[in-house]
Amino acid sequence: MAVRPPLIINRLDAERLQRLIDAAGEDVVALSLEEELERGEVLEPEQIPADVISMNSRVRFTDLTRGREIIKTLVYPHALDATEDGVSVMAPVGAALLGLHVGDVIEWPLPGGKRTSLRVDAILWQPEREGQFHR
């Protein structure tokens, strides 16, 4: 696997995500997400740079494997039904996006032994950038 880019994760997001991971048991995505949390730099919400994907960020990214530009909002699983363009952080693509910076490229495993490569093109909306630190 290629070297993964550095991550920055909001402390509140990290705490909430750890609870989801603990409840998920041996789920493959949860285990991958836990590895990402362990290697990420955890910062207070007010310290999150504007070019980093945090929970509830609306992101434009390119699936380099399929050559498709995609816009999604990274959400917790319980908010998926209420978010028109949502992708769950507990789904492979959602877990891959968390904590990345604009311009980052990441290779990520998919179900069935496949892999994908994603590039973050823009963050269209980010809670921390909008002053929403404790959502």
Side-chain angles (χ1 to χ4, degrees), residues 16-50:
R16 292 172 183 144
L17 291 168
Q18 189 60 57
R19 287 192 293 272
L20 282 175
I21 291 164
D22 292 345
E26 295 298 312
D27 177 78
V28 174
V29 176
L31 294 173
S32 294
L33 185 58
E34 187 166 42
E35 288 175 13
E36 294 296 89
L37 288 180
E38 288 173 0
R39 75 178 190 85
E41 179 182 3
V42 177
L43 299 177
E44 291 300 316
E46 297 83 2
Q47 298 174 313
I48 298 297

Side-chain angles (χ1 to χ4, degrees), residues 11 17 32-33 55 65 73 79-80 104-107 113 120 122:
R11 179 187 56 79
L17 291 168
S32 294
L33 185 58
M55 292 304 302
T65 307
T73 300
L80 196 54
D104 283 349
V105 174
I106 191 166
E107 288 186 27
V120 179

Side-chain angles (χ1 to χ4, degrees), residues 48-98:
I48 298 297
D51 69 339
V52 169
I53 300 172
S54 62
M55 292 304 302
N56 300 304
S57 292
R58 189 161 190 252
V59 182
R60 186 178 73 232
F61 62 98
T62 300
D63 178 336
L64 298 170
T65 307
R66 297 182 354 206
R68 288 185 47 207
E69 185 177 273
I70 302 165
I71 295 176
K72 293 285 184 182
T73 300
L74 184 63
V75 298
Y76 293 100
H78 71 271
L80 196 54
D81 290 340
T83 308
E84 185 177 328
D85 64 352
V87 61
S88 171
V89 69
M90 297 300 283
V93 169
L97 292 171
L98 180 69

